[in-house]
Structures are given as C-alpha cells and as structure tokens.
Amino acid sequence: MPELPEVETVRRSLAPRIVGQVFRSVDVDFPGCLEGLAPHELNERLRGRCVEGTFRLGKYLGFSLDSGASLVIHLRMTGRLIFCEATHFEKTEYTRAVFHFVSGKAVRFDDQRKFGRVMWFANQSSLERRLALGYEPFDPRLGEREFSELLSGRRRSIKSFLLDQKHIAGIGNIYADEGLFRAGIAPWRPAGTLSQAEAARLLKAVREVLAEGIEYKGTSLRDYVDGDGRKGGFQERLRVYGREGKPCCLCGAAVERVVLAGRSSFYCPRCQA
DNA sequence: AATGGCCTGGTG
DNA sequence: CACCAGGCCATT
C-alpha cells in the first residue's frame, strides 16, 4: 500500500534514471487507468517531451516536463512503476501502460487491481486544483500550533483525520496507526479532544515514522516495490500495524484491532489512551 | 462527516 | 463462495 514513504522511495529510485529522458510513445493497455484523457491524447502530449524533474505530492508521484506540463501517477494500492532497460523488457498480465523513451528504455505501470491512475496537467495550478491536498507532513509551515489549530473543534476520530488527504497529505492506514502508537494516543479519540501536548507529540511521531519509513525504503507487506523492483524493509519495524494478538513491544499487552473510518486500526490497549 | 463503489487475488 | 484488503471519490 504505497503511502508517502513508498511513493517517495519510488520517486528517488526513478529520478536518476528518467530525468533527461525524452518520451517516444505510450502504450495504454488499460485505458481506464487514464484520468480525463484518451490514450492518443496522452501520446500527443508526451511525444518529444523531456522529463526535467520529479516530485511527490502526498501519495501522488509527478514528472515535470519541458512543456511546463506534468505527468502524475497515483499507485493506489497495488500499483508499481518499474524502470525497464531496453534489453530486458516484458509486460506482465497486470501491465496497464508503458512509457517508452527515445533512448529505448521504458517505465512500466503495473497494477493488479486497476485502481491506480495516470493523469496529465497542463500547469501547476490545474494540478493543485485537482489534487486538492493539505499540508505536506514535513512542511515547516505546519508547526505544533497550526496542527493543534487544525484539530480543534473536530469531532471525527483522530485516525480518520490523519487519513484525510485534504488536511495533511501522504498518511495512509499503516503510518497513521504507527504514528498514533508512538504518540500513545488511541485512534478513536475525537481529534478535537487532543491536548496541545498530545497534538505536538502526534505531529512529531507522525513525522518520525514517515522519515523512518523513507529511511527503510518503505513497507512491503504484499505488492509494494520501488522503481528497481526492490522491496522495502519497514515491515520489520512495524510496532502495531497487522500485529493483532501479538505482544506490544513496549508493555507486552496483546495488540488489538478495531474498525475505524472503515479501516482496520491496530493499537495497544495499554500504551494508547 | 460517514458510507458505498471501484477492483481482484488470496483466504477461510 | 463470501469476504477482506484499502487508496480516493461521489453520494448522502
């Protein structure tokens, strides 16, 4: 499940390989993965364009083009972007699109569940309007005070709040649970009931867990791999996520699971309140 | 702010 | 054979 650390890891693995590459063509095997444009339109807009840089916004991965436009991809749950050297390149049964460069190299977009999306934006403002994302978690403008302010008066659960991309972008189910555990806060607490100290603790914990996730190159529970097909290592360091019934690493109590905001939420009944 | 839909492979 | 995983979006 690519969340911020996984998307950032994919970005870092692809950047050195594709910056400077010029698009030749795009094969679209599953047109449903394109949002808002047809395969021939995407081809027209990419052909001959050079990739000038890469960026990440929340869980979206972007490539900025010399036309001023950008190609943006969301991996959703099972999406993968795999860099292919010209010599060994083959599609899989889950290949939804292939971006070919004039160099002969390519990037394959594979996605088992067909949830992932490929988008194209003419400029920055149309992109921002469409994605409508909140703060980047590491944005220095998001201080303890601002975070506390965001929470105040909200009755929805803190877990559900953390998952809402229009407030803070990039946090998914895994890193939300891990951040809440590290902050010692129960996931069902109404967001507005967190004290200033708790809010500060949570912001710090979320930042730490995301940074550590990037450091370990993401969590590979199932499908996730980076642009070179490599798995991450953060799954070894998860303290509560997916550990129902197993002992808490701090107190030994059995980790519990509850459904919140329609999602499994794992927590330690003793360490989190 | 909460809920159902989109998807499909793996599991009970 | 039903159900679960879980991003985001549309609907209520």
Side-chain angles (χ1 to χ4, degrees):
Chain A
M1 305 97 217
E3 304 180 24
L4 185 152
E6 290 75 33
V7 178
E8 179 61 17
T9 303
V10 173
R11 189 193 68 75
R12 292 181 185 186
S13 63
L14 287 178
R17 326 290 275 284
I18 79 164
V19 170
Q21 299 271 352
V22 174
F23 285 102
R24 190 185 69 205
S25 63
V26 187
D27 289 347
V28 181
D29 298 278
F30 173 61
C33 75
L34 299 190
E35 184 178 298
L37 76 178
H40 77 273
E41 295 175 307
L42 185 63
N43 259 284
E44 286 167 12
R45 286 160 194 184
L46 294 185
R47 179 171 296 120
R49 298 275 65 82
C50 178
V51 179
E52 288 192 325
T54 64
F55 59 92
R56 181 196 53 72
L57 287 172
K59 301 172 194 170
Y60 293 85
L61 179 53
F63 304 95
S64 44
L65 313 176
D66 58 358
S67 56
S70 41
L71 176 69
V72 173
I73 293 171
H74 197 301
L75 301 171
R76 261 344 218 273
M77 297 175 62
T78 55
R80 295 175 165 183
L81 282 177
I82 306 290
F83 185 81
C84 303
E85 297 289 346
T87 44
H88 49 289
F89 158 60
E90 51 191 65
K91 291 185 182 185
T92 74
E93 67 173 303
Y94 303 123
T95 299
R96 306 306 177 196
V98 185
F99 300 88
H100 292 279
F101 300 111
V102 296
S103 64
K105 300 173 196 286
V107 169
R108 242 177 40 220
F109 174 49
D110 297 346
D111 184 23
Q112 182 193 98
R113 287 184 210 175
K114 299 182 170 178
F115 276 6
R117 289 293 177 265
V118 175
M119 305 164 237
W120 180 92
F121 297 101
N123 52 58
Q124 194 70 15
S125 67
S126 59
L127 180 156
E128 285 172 9
R129 211 169 39 244
R130 160 66 184 78
L131 303 188
L133 298 172
Y135 281 107
E136 274 298 313
F138 296 107
D139 188 335
R141 290 172 296 185
L142 177 61
E144 293 177 3
R145 182 166 226 102
E146 288 75 13
F147 186 59
S148 199
E149 194 62 34
L150 277 180
L151 300 183
S152 77
R154 294 188 195 275
R155 297 214 282 264
R156 66 193 301 196
S157 71
I158 185 62
K159 168 76 181 271
S160 153
F161 177 87
L162 289 175
L163 294 177
D164 191 334
Q165 306 296 301
K166 72 176 190 290
H167 298 305
I168 301 176
I171 303 168
N173 210 31
I174 296 174
Y175 295 93
D177 280 4
E178 293 296 312
L180 285 163
F181 172 77
R182 292 190 185 205
I185 293 166
W188 55 80
R189 289 268 304 278
T193 67
L194 269 66
S195 68
Q196 292 237 341
E198 285 175 321
R201 229 161 64 212
L202 180 57
L203 179 61
K204 186 161 177 277
V206 163
R207 283 175 165 161
E208 277 174 5
V209 83
L210 291 172
E212 218 175 296
I214 295 171
E215 188 187 337
Y216 283 85
K217 301 187 188 298
T219 304
S220 294
L221 287 177
R222 229 189 144 74
D223 300 278
Y224 167 73
V225 292
D226 72 9
D228 297 317
R230 294 198 181 93
K231 292 187 176 226
F234 199 66
Q235 61 279 5
E236 322 277 342
R237 308 191 69 82
L238 297 175
R239 300 184 187 171
V240 285
Y241 185 84
R243 302 192 68 247
E244 184 180 12
K246 293 182 180 160
C248 167
C249 63
L250 292 183
C251 76
V255 170
E256 294 182 2
R257 186 183 83 100
V258 67
V259 174
L260 235 61
R263 301 287 171 255
S264 280
S265 297
F266 300 90
Y267 66 98
C268 170
R270 218 143 83 198
C271 298
Q272 293 174 261

